[in-house]
Amino acid sequence: MGNRPFESCIPEGVYSCNPYNSPRFSNVWELQEVPGRSKILIHTANYSADVQGCIGIGSNLAPGGWWVTQSRKAMQQLRELLPPEFDLTITHYVPEYP
């Protein structure tokens, strides 16, 4: 979809992720140097309405829909597993819906 903010996916590539804090999103990560985008965060989000171009974290795909469950638990697990700064590879993948 032409890398349009709020409408298309993050372009494929490798992005540095750095710690990010704001009043709304604390202790999350921000992808650096995403072409044509800004403030692309990795944060808790269960529904597509919870993200506007960001990456929402969850534990499982919810039955019967395109949303995830246990977002806060999954985010805490990532905080325990990942270093403060890391690289993230974005590739195009469309999961099969059961």
Side-chain angles (χ1 to χ4, degrees):
M1 300 241 331
N3 191 28
R4 292 187 297 224
F6 307 107
E7 293 182 26
S8 61
C9 298
I10 299 165
E12 291 186 5
V14 178
Y15 299 97
S16 296
C17 297
N18 294 338
Y20 178 85
N21 285 289
S22 73
R24 183 170 178 199
F25 297 106
S26 63
N27 197 18
V28 300
W29 294 278
E30 178 182 15
L31 279 69
Q32 304 297 304
E33 300 181 25
V34 179
R37 307 283 181 98
S38 62
K39 298 294 182 240
I40 303 298
L41 306 178
I42 300 173
H43 63 78
T44 59
N46 288 7
Y47 304 99
S48 60
D50 297 335
V51 294
Q52 294 183 346
C54 294
I55 299 172
I57 299 300
S59 295
N60 298 296
L61 184 62
W66 288 97
W67 59 87
V68 296
T69 62
Q70 299 183 354
S71 185
R72 290 175 197 227
K73 180 180 177 183
M75 191 67 180
Q76 185 56 40
Q77 290 173 331
L78 278 182
R79 288 180 183 125
E80 292 169 4
L81 291 172
L82 293 174
E85 297 180 6
F86 59 92
D87 289 338
L88 177 67
T89 301
I90 301 289
T91 61
H92 181 76
Y93 171 73
V94 177
E96 291 184 29
Y97 188 71

